[in-house]
Each structure stands twice: as C-alpha cells, then as structure tokens.
C-alpha cells in the first residue's frame, strides 16, 4: 500500500508518504516540469501506445549502483520462513488450538510484522473474480479512468499513476485505483459488476480482519475486543487499493513501490500469482511467496503505536519484471478518523516501559502525511 519512511522522532520533513494514500498529494513543487507530461499518462497506456518499449524514461530510474536498496535477495539467509496462520483454528479450533494460534499470531507480529493467512473462508472464486475485475478496470480507456482522478488523501475514490511524494523526482512503475468501502461504501461504477463484487469482497475481508484483530488483542494480553472498541472499528476505515505493475523493459532500474510501511492497523493483500513483493527482515530483503488463495497480512503503523512498539510495521516494497503484469490488491483497515491512537495504557509502564509514541487523531495523521510534515509513526524517544 503507501510508502512511509520511518523516523525515530517527531519532526517536520520535506516529504513523506505510504501505498494507498500518498499518491493523493499535490506534488507540483516537487516535480521537474520536463517530466509532467509523463505523470499525465498511465503506465499501462504508455506501454500499449509505445509498442515494444526497450527502455524507460529517466524519470523512472530508481535503482543506481550506489542505491542502498539495490542488494541481492537470498531466501537462504533464513532457516525460518514468513509465518503462516491457520485462520480456522483461530475461529473454530479447540481452546488449546486457539491458544496456540494466538501465541503464533503474536510471535508473527513481533518477529516479522508479516504473515500468511490460510483457511480463512473467503471463497477462492471471489478472490479470483476480484482480481479479474480490477484488471478489467485498468483496461478501460484513459478517459474513463480519469473520471475517478482525485486530489486529496481522503477522496473516497482516487485513480492515479506512478507518482509518490517519497520519490520526489523519481516516478514509480505502477497504476492504481483506491476507494473507501467503510464506513461508507464507494466504488467505481465501471467495469460492469465492479461495485457488487467489491462490496461482497469487502464484507468478507472485514470479517477476516476483525477476527485477526481479536486474536492480536489477546496476544498482547488485552481483552479480545480491545482493539475493535478502542479504535472504534465499527466506524473505521477500510480502503481497497488495486495496483497494476505492467511489464517493464528495464526492471532492474525501475521500481513498483519503494520501501514503505502502511498506516492503519492491518493490511490484507491478494495478487494474481506474479512475484514482486518483498519484506525487510533482519536487515535483508525476503521474497514473499504465497499461494494466490492465501492472504498476505502485514501490521500497520497504528498497530505498532497501539502495541507501544512491541509489534512492528515492517518495511516492504514491490519490484517489477520484464515479462508479466502483476496485480496486487491490498485492503487496509484503519481506526475511525477522529480516534486518537496512542499506546494502550495496559501496555505502558512509566518506569519500565514508557510510552514510545505520542497520540494523534487518525484523520490528523493522514492529513499530515499529505502535508508532508511527519514521517509515519510519532515517537517520543
């Protein structure tokens, strides 16, 4: 979802961002006038109209020989792998099984900030048709897609391409459509069936996220419904953000999304089977391999704040390839906009475990992202 550089202190910065929302900022003062024309053309349209592209515009050059993120990725660095959570044991297992899976969930949140969820009950057919319908959206004419162009981070529907504030004059090799489905449902009217499919998918993923947050509450030693109540989730945000990463003629130079963490509490992601997602773990980049029928789940910044830093919102990034289009659909769950998010008092001890973050309304946090006056989590340290 939205790239947000992490910092350890409250500060005003020139730019900041994250994968669902930072695309909504006004970047006119950041962009070289010579590349404005690039921004107005979606990546998919550029690749379709240019035929066999053999190179990319220099504005998309992200990786350089001295780029600190341009490092080899080796899955052999880790004997362990990204944890897998059996959702059915969390919701329908015996008391012993549920206790075990809650402990595993807490360990995944603490050690990785990323995990896979299987046996979640969302039909494979619904996940597949959601991906296919998002793909159909990206095939619409540019004129039809531009009907959903937005300007503000809280616009309920926002279509855009490439750009993100963290990159200043570097553009990203992706197109996206973002829409809010809770507390009020919004969705593009095209293509046919998009609204009905998105509504059903949103309801089913909300059920999964709600149960996961109950398990996370218990793993923190809190009451099962603590997060749901404290974050006012009945009126909380649920945001769908579909990303298209078209084939790139220079995949070792461009990037789909740079290293970032997500705002909010949890993100559930599905994809079309193409690889490209990587998570940072113990200082290394790890490829995220998953069955297309599993959810890839990551902890958001506000879950890290609520846990007082015990659970980490891990950096992740999206790479591109030269042969196949990749589609990912992250769906983000956040607090109610007027909710002040701070460390849970039950997890704070002024002497042994003082609060690591200052409290802030979720709405203010998002608006400050747009204004580029904070870099993600607000730390008091």
């Amino acid at each position: 979802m939205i790239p947000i550089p992490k910092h350890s202190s409250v500060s005003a910065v020139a730019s900041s961002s994250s994968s669902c929302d930072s695309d909504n900022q006004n970047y006119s003062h950041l962009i070289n006038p010579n590349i404005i024309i690039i921004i107005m053309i979606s990546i998919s349209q550029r690749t379709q109209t240019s035929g066999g592209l053999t190179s990319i515009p220099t504005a998309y050059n992200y990786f350089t020989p001295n780029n600190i993120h341009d490092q080899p990725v080796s899955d052999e660095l880790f004997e362990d792998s990204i944890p897998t959570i059996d959702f059915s044991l969390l919701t329908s297992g015996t008391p012993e099984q549920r206790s075990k899976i809650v402990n595993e969930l807490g360990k995944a949140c603490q050690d990785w900030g990323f995990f896979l969820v299987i046996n979640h009950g969302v039909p494979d057919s619904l996940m597949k048709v959601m991906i296919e319908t998002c793909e159909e959206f990206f095939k619409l004419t540019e004129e039809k897609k531009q009907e959903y162009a937005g300007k503000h981070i809280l616009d309920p529907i926002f279509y855009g391409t490439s750009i993100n504030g963290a990159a200043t004059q570097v553009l990203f090799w992706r197109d996206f459509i973002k829409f809010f489905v809770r507390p009020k449902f919004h969705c593009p009217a095209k293509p046919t069936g998009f609204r009905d499919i998105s509504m059903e998918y949103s309801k089913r993923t909300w059920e999964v996220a709600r149960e996961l947050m109950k398990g996370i509450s218990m793993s923190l030693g809190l009451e099962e419904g603590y997060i749901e109540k404290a974050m006012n989730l009945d009126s909380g945000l649920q945001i769908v953000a579909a990303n298209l990463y078209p084939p790139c003629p220079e995949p070792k130079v461009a990037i789909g999304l740079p290293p970032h963490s997500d705002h909010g509490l949890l993100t559930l992601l599905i994809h079309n089977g193409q690889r490209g997602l990587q998570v940072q773990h113990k200082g290394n980049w790890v490829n995220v391999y998953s069955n297309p029928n599993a959810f890839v789940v990551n902890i958001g910044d506000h879950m890290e704040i609520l846990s007082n830093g015990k659970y980490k919102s891990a950096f992740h990034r999206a790479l591109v390839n030269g042969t196949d289009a990749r589609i990912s659909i992250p769906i983000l769950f956040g607090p109610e906009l007027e909710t002040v998010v701070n460390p849970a008092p039950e997890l704070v001890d002024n002497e042994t475990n003082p609060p690591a973050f200052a409290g802030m309304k979720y709405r203010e946090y998002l608006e400050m992202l747009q204004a580029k006056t904070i870099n993600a989590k607000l730390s008091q340290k």
Side-chain angles (χ1 to χ4, degrees), residues 62-288:
Y62 177 81
F63 288 113
T64 68
N66 297 321
N67 192 303
I68 60 172
H69 300 298
D70 191 11
Q71 299 175 356
V73 177
S74 174
D75 297 320
E76 297 178 357
L77 289 172
F78 303 98
E79 294 181 0
D80 56 342
S81 59
I82 295 176
T84 297
I85 301 299
D86 188 333
F87 187 79
S88 65
L89 298 181
L90 181 64
T91 57
S92 305
T94 65
E96 293 77 14
Q97 289 174 325
R98 193 167 190 235
S99 177
K100 182 175 183 292
I101 210 72
V102 165
N103 288 335
E104 291 177 1
L105 183 58
K107 182 172 174 55
C109 293
Q110 186 169 4
D111 294 347
W112 281 84
F114 257 75
F115 52 91
L116 307 180
V117 174
I118 60 172
N119 299 327
H120 45 67
V122 179
D124 296 349
S125 57
L126 178 59
M127 300 168 75
K128 181 179 179 182
V129 75
M130 183 66 183
I131 293 171
E132 291 173 346
T133 308
C134 288
E135 184 177 10
E136 289 302 312
F137 173 85
F138 290 118
K139 291 179 180 178
L140 295 174
T141 65
E142 199 64 26
E143 181 181 8
K144 290 181 179 179
K145 288 184 287 190
Q146 285 296 335
E147 294 176 10
Y148 303 107
K151 296 181 179 179
H152 191 273
I153 196 168
L154 292 176
D155 283 346
I157 302 179
F158 192 104
Y159 166 72
T161 183
S162 313
I163 190 169
N164 190 296
T168 59
Q169 295 190 6
V170 177
L171 306 183
F172 304 150
W173 197 261
R174 68 139 185 177
D175 298 335
F176 68 90
I177 178 68
K178 181 199 71 175
F179 49 99
F180 288 32
V181 294
R182 283 176 64 91
K184 184 177 179 180
F185 182 81
H186 301 270
C187 181
K190 304 167 185 176
T192 302
F194 200 4
R195 289 180 59 85
D196 291 341
I197 293 167
S198 296
M199 182 174 289
E200 179 63 19
Y201 181 73
S202 300
K203 289 178 179 177
R204 298 300 295 266
T205 51
W206 161 243
E207 294 169 1
V208 173
R210 185 181 183 187
E211 293 299 325
L212 287 174
M213 283 190 268
K214 288 180 180 179
I216 291 172
S217 287
M218 291 187 292
S219 74
L220 286 167
L222 304 170
E223 293 183 0
E224 180 182 72
Y226 181 91
I227 294 176
E228 183 173 355
K229 182 178 179 180
M231 298 293 100
N232 299 304
L233 291 186
D234 282 344
S235 301
L237 288 191
Q238 184 178 355
I239 306 170
V240 176
N243 297 310
L244 169 67
Y245 305 99
C248 179
E250 295 185 274
K252 293 185 178 181
V253 176
I255 196 165
L257 279 174
H260 66 280
S261 64
D262 296 345
H263 68 75
L265 298 164
L266 281 183
T267 299
L268 275 62
L269 179 143
I270 60 174
H271 57 87
N272 67 341
Q274 296 298 325
R275 296 175 178 177
L277 177 62
Q278 295 180 336
V279 58
Q280 195 172 64
H281 181 62
K282 297 181 180 178
N284 297 279
W285 288 110
V286 181
N287 288 313
V288 179

